[in-house]
């Protein structure tokens, strides 16, 4: 895990909740200290465009934390910042 504060996360990272929803660092829906396995997985260096492609037809599997987590939707609040 990159760190307990959002400052430890790369801005392009994608955080994957157990619900299948993806969040970005700084999201007000989650507390940085809570982002740890088994509830969360993450991708610290996603390929360009991964956030926009993310959907049920283009899921994103976590590469860190709980690597069993797969994102199929984006947090609307985070999406509004992109």
């Amino acid at each position: 895990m990159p760190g307990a504060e959002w400052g430890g996360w790369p801005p392009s990272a994608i955080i994957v909740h157990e619900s299948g929803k993806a969040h970005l660092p700084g999201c007000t829906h989650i507390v940085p200290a809570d982002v740890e396995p088994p509830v969360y997985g993450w991708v610290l260096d996603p390929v360009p465009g991964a956030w926009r492609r993310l959907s049920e037809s283009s899921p994103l599997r976590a590469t860190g934390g709980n690597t069993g987590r797969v994102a199929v939707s984006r947090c609307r609040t985070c999406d509004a910042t992109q």
Side-chain angles (χ1 to χ4, degrees), residues 3-80:
E5 297 300 321
W6 290 126
W9 291 84
S12 63
I14 298 175
I15 301 163
V16 184
H17 185 261
E18 66 185 346
S19 67
K21 187 158 305 270
H23 299 270
L24 299 173
C27 181
T28 58
H29 295 124
I30 54 180
V31 177
D34 292 344
V35 180
E36 59 183 52
V39 176
Y40 291 93
W42 50 81
V43 179
L44 294 181
D45 190 23
V47 297
W51 178 260
R52 283 282 161 230
R53 285 191 303 275
L54 205 154
S55 66
E56 287 193 27
S57 61
S58 185
L60 178 71
R61 179 169 293 279
T63 58
N66 184 339
T67 57
R69 297 288 177 233
V70 178
V72 295
S73 65
R74 297 183 300 266
C75 166
R76 289 182 185 175
T77 303
C78 293
D79 208 23

